[in-house]
């Protein structure tokens, strides 16, 4: 694959990848962000909510290995697309299903889907950018996680106050679809 040399193209790729990583973070850390409200609202007992976060971490870690392997076999943008579709569905399910008992299953699947984001992003960046642009891009793309974290901690309380905690997940799922 030919390396991008036009700065406009490089910048567009970096912005796009940063947006991908931003949405990835928003749709992964949202449960931890609203954990207290999930428990206090009765959506899920404390043990179930904690188990959901643990399951997400385990499947995310295992998924990194699988994502890396698949990244050698398939186009990275296809892997990211599949990850976003699954994470969107899991977030929307958490936001719309009336019981907390499925939270562990949904969030374990979400963790696995989230693992399909960073390795393909790195492959895209490394294959399309020269070494200097790649190093700079990795730093800039990682800002997506910081911005996603800040956005979630600002957005979630507002959504909870105005509507309901479940809408946090629906919004995250819609962002993943977009």
């Amino acid at each position: 694959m030919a390396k991008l040399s036009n700065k406009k193209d490089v910048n567009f790729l970096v912005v796009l990848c940063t947006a991908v990583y931003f949405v990835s973070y928003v749709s992964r850390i949202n449960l931890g962000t609203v954990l207290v409200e999930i428990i206090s609202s009765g959506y899920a007992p404390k043990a179930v909510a904690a188990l959901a976060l643990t399951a997400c971490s385990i499947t995310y870690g295992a998924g990194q290995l699988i994502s890396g392997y698949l990244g050698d076999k398939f186009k990275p943008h296809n892997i990211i697309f599949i990850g976003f579709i699954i994470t969107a569905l899991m977030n929307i399910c958490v936001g719309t299903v009336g019981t907390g008992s499925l939270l562990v299953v949904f969030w374990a699947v979400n963790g696995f889907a989230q693992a399909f984001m960073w390795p393909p992003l790195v492959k895209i960046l490394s294959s399309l950018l020269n070494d200097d642009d790649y190093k700079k891009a990795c730093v800039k793309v990682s800002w997506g996680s910081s911005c996603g974290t800040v956005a979630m901690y600002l957005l979630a309380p507002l959504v909870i106050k105005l509507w309901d905690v479940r809408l946090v997940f629906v919004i995250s799922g819609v962002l993943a679809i977009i």
Side-chain angles (χ1 to χ4, degrees):
M1 192 175 292
K3 303 278 186 189
L4 297 177
S5 58
N6 181 329
K7 280 295 179 199
K8 187 176 178 182
D9 293 340
V10 170
N11 289 336
F12 179 75
L13 177 66
V14 170
V15 168
L16 186 61
C17 289
T18 303
V20 165
Y21 209 46
F22 172 89
V23 175
S24 169
Y25 251 72
V26 164
S27 58
R28 183 172 77 223
I29 68 158
N30 51 4
L31 178 60
T33 306
V34 299
L35 190 63
V36 171
E37 183 65 23
I38 290 284
I39 295 165
S40 67
S41 70
Y43 180 74
K46 187 187 299 186
V48 170
L51 184 58
L53 287 175
T54 302
C56 180
S57 295
I58 291 168
T59 57
Y60 179 75
Q64 291 285 333
L65 299 171
I66 294 167
S67 177
Y69 173 78
L70 292 174
D72 292 336
K73 306 290 180 195
F74 301 100
K75 293 179 180 178
H77 62 275
N78 289 338
I79 297 170
I80 293 169
F81 178 77
I82 291 168
F84 266 133
I85 293 299
I86 295 169
T87 203
L89 290 173
M90 293 305 102
N91 270 273
I92 291 169
C93 284
V94 168
T96 58
V97 172
T99 178
S101 61
L102 292 173
L103 181 62
V104 175
V105 174
F106 293 147
W107 222 243
V109 173
N110 188 51
F112 186 76
Q114 288 288 325
F116 284 53
M117 305 296 176
W118 184 250
L121 279 175
V122 170
K123 185 166 185 172
I124 289 169
L125 293 171
S126 67
S127 66
L128 291 176
L129 302 177
N130 64 46
D131 289 343
D132 187 50
D133 286 338
Y134 171 75
K135 290 174 191 173
K136 292 175 186 173
C138 283
V139 171
K140 291 175 184 174
V141 171
S142 71
W143 293 347
S145 64
S146 300
C147 293
T149 301
V150 170
M152 186 48 56
Y153 277 94
L154 291 174
L155 176 69
L158 181 64
V159 171
I160 291 167
K161 183 165 180 61
L162 295 176
W163 296 285
D164 184 71
V165 68
R166 295 179 193 199
L167 189 58
V168 170
F169 298 96
V170 173
I171 290 169
S172 299
V174 170
L175 280 175
I177 290 170
I178 294 170

